Amino acid sequence: MNDKDKFYGVIGRLLTIDLSSQTVNIESIKHDYLKKYLGGAGYACRYLIEHIEENTPPLSEENILVIMTGPLCGTSAPSSGRFVICSKSPYTKLWAESNCGGYFGPELKKAGFDGIIIRGKSENHCYITIKGNKVEIIKDDKVWGKDIQETSERLKEKINEPQSKVLCIGQGGENLVKFANICADGRFAGRTGMGAVLGSKNLKGIIVKGKDYKPNIKNPKTFKDTTKSMMKEVLNTESAKIMRNYGTSAGVMGAYAKGDLPIKYWSKGTWENIMEISGDKYKEDLLVKNYACYRCPIGCGRIININNENYKANEIAGPEYETIAGFGSMILNDNLESIAIANDLCNRYGLDTISTSSSIALLFKLYNEGRINKEDVDGLDLNWGNDKAMLELIKKTAHREGIGDVIAEGSNAIGKEFNISHEEIATINTLEVPYHDMRACYGMALTYLFSPRGACHTTADAYKALYKANEIDFSSIDVKKTDVHSNSKELVSSTSNLQDYRAIYSSLVSCVFFNPIPKQMKNLINALFGYKFNLNDIKILGERIFTLKRLFNLKMGWDPDEEHIPEILLKPKSEGTARRKTPDYKKLRNYYYKFRDWDIKTGGPTSRKLKLLGLEGIKY
Ligand code: SF4
């Protein structure tokens, strides 16, 4: 084979499955897409922008779901076993991208596939088995109605391969809850309703057992040396040590100290019971052991036991920061065990914990303000902190029972049901805002406003990266540590550059908790593919991937006039570290358009920018 036709980083094969016609095919990875978008989410977006239209209903057989690994997956690179699930979101009707850890991605690659493209809709409830090259669609009515744990067990029994890896949905996805997620080995692809897309196709899950496929590496020695030095560098950082010791629960007190943690549905800056949900309390009362995704030296996952008079559970996955905030401080619930049970319920049903908790917290707020009553919420008492009622609402959501049918459509639907102004609802571009307060770091206003999938904190973790105290140095890609309360051009350029850099992570597909300096990432990419990129090339590559997702949204009919932040997220708090602070987001937004060379009227890049990024000619 001619070297220019040889693949590096990828196997070169995509599995395409049409559930309507029950056919399976293999198509080749496109070299030019790989070069321009790296793989992962960038590759998926380039594929989907050609195949999905503005009028494609997300929960129809016309929608397409792409599961993609990245070019680092299956190599020795640390924290590289993640994969993405992309489609048109049934929740936002925009770009859907859900990033997931665990071991499914590497197993798929070992089976000889870089990704799976799923089209159509099966007539019957079914699952897919992949055993090396043998791929089958299996009809199975009995698997429907089962939760994620039961489904994983059933599928593993069926394939009879103990080392196989399962990806599946719970009742949330089956019942088309708009923010249903997909589980793979206890890790979740959340936020954008990918579980509902799978459910709409009558597809309960996929089980894969790999063979011995491995991606080629152009310069194996340099690649190995780079991964070694990255590993050493990252493991010596304080943040990696904290993540290892506490997982993301360390973020509770860190966020509280900055005024970043939402309290009482975004209205308060302090809470006297905060220590009850702290990382220390979590470690002391619940933690059994850590767990790690494929080739991850950090291991931020938590396995916990719960044992008190009200709640008991053995060796279940522990809640992450976002879940603790959502089911804890957002509704003034200081019962950490109940938060862990809420997490477990969401994990079993396959519900995104941010959207579930934020929608439930909105009901708590309305109830406590006397704007809804018991009759509106199936007789439940939603006084602040009522953990039992919170758990009931999760169950109702998964099964769409009573008020759960409204919650399953998300916060904006709750607003509509009870005639609440959108200014009081903490969503941006439909999606519930994750639990990092933009009044603590103004960069988060831009992150949420311009995230391609609706309000998302992982698109640019400005809430960490822009702080002067942050130990990771992104200055080489022009992400400067800055005054997080300034409405400055520097804050805009740094946030925007961080979005571009994280877009590279979305294509690689790498974990945002693993942060070597950008030069190391560049060296790794060069060693893998044999490129000669400098850091400016890396910046352009990231900007191209980020901008491509913007084009996807414009194609879906995105109107830039809808870029709006509701008042509830802007109203200055009267206490806490971020008191009296609020971003001037309209000013920041104007700077942002100028910095990106986008047209504020159309919302799209200028033709000059499209040309610079090599995106001219893409129809959107
Ligand atoms: S840091 Fe945590 S989420 Fe990231 S790859 Fe490691 S275990 Fe998975």
Side-chain angles (χ1 to χ4, degrees), residues 436-494:
H436 295 285
D437 196 321
M438 63 181 72
R439 291 163 291 192
C441 170
Y442 293 178
M444 291 312 290
L446 293 171
T447 298
Y448 293 147
L449 209 51
F450 291 100
S451 157
R453 67 174 189 175
C456 162
H457 60 300
T458 57
T459 314
D461 40 347
Y463 64 93
K464 278 193 291 201
L466 299 195
Y467 277 87
K468 296 218 161 93
N470 184 42
E471 65 185 324
I472 298 150
D473 184 7
F474 291 126
S475 59
S476 59
I477 46 156
D478 297 323
V479 176
K480 308 249 170 69
K481 292 170 191 171
T482 185
D483 175 2
V484 291
H485 291 124
S486 77
N487 294 298
S488 66
K489 288 182 180 164
E490 185 175 73
L491 180 113
V492 172
S493 60
S494 289

Side-chain angles (χ1 to χ4, degrees), residues 79 82 187 243 291-293 296 298-301 511 513:
S79 308
R82 302 184 72 85
R187 290 299 200 182
M243 283 291 274
Y291 73 87
C293 302
C296 177
I298 297 173
C300 74
C511 179
F513 296 147

Side-chain angles (χ1 to χ4, degrees), residues 162-178:
Q163 297 307 316
S164 56
K165 306 294 174 215
V166 176
L167 168 157
C168 67
I169 57 171
Q171 294 92 334
E174 291 177 9
N175 293 326
L176 310 182
V177 174
K178 290 286 167 57

Side-chain angles (χ1 to χ4, degrees), residues 244-439:
R244 193 163 179 73
N245 272 330
Y246 291 93
T248 54
S249 75
V252 173
M253 293 314 290
Y256 185 75
K258 293 180 193 164
D260 185 36
L261 181 80
I263 299 167
K264 204 179 178 190
Y265 202 74
W266 301 97
S267 66
K268 302 278 291 171
T270 54
W271 183 31
E272 63 279 12
N273 297 358
I274 184 66
M275 292 309 292
E276 296 301 314
I277 61 165
S278 69
D280 278 323
K281 174 97 173 146
Y282 185 130
K283 193 173 175 191
E284 212 174 291
D285 291 0
L286 305 178
L287 184 67
V288 177
K289 60 185 176 194
N290 295 16
Y291 73 87
C293 302
Y294 175 83
R295 290 199 69 83
C296 177
I298 297 173
C300 74
R302 314 276 98 180
I303 300 290
I304 60 165
N305 278 346
I306 304 173
N307 191 9
N308 72 6
E309 63 278 13
N310 292 319
Y311 302 111
K312 297 202 188 314
N314 242 345
E315 303 233 340
I316 57 170
E320 304 285 342
Y321 163 80
E322 299 288 336
T323 314
I324 301 170
F327 291 119
S329 57
M330 277 283 276
I331 60 162
L332 303 184
N333 172 25
D334 62 2
N335 184 324
L336 191 55
E337 284 80 7
S338 74
I339 296 169
I341 293 288
N343 182 59
D344 187 52
L345 282 178
C346 288
N347 287 357
R348 284 171 192 271
Y349 293 136
L351 300 176
D352 177 74
T353 60
I354 297 176
S355 287
T356 306
S357 60
S358 190
S359 302
I360 287 175
L362 175 60
L363 285 175
F364 270 82
K365 167 186 150 71
L366 299 177
Y367 184 91
N368 283 280
E369 289 171 357
R371 297 156 76 186
I372 59 173
N373 57 38
K374 269 191 179 179
E375 276 171 28
D376 294 315
V377 289
D378 304 343
L380 292 168
D381 166 10
L382 299 192
N383 273 319
W384 288 117
N386 187 342
D387 51 320
K388 295 268 178 341
M390 165 190 84
L391 297 175
E392 273 311 301
L393 289 176
I394 296 172
K395 292 176 199 163
K396 284 174 176 290
T397 304
H399 298 291
R400 283 187 175 268
E401 281 170 15
I403 185 67
D405 196 32
V406 183
I407 303 173
E409 294 293 308
S411 296
N412 291 349
I414 293 172
K416 213 166 159 196
E417 176 80 11
F418 297 114
N419 206 14
I420 307 299
S421 158
H422 69 103
E423 296 294 351
E424 294 188 69
I425 301 171
T427 57
I428 295 177
N429 303 338
T430 307
L431 203 58
E432 283 78 9
V433 172
Y435 301 131
H436 295 285
D437 196 321
M438 63 181 72
R439 291 163 291 192

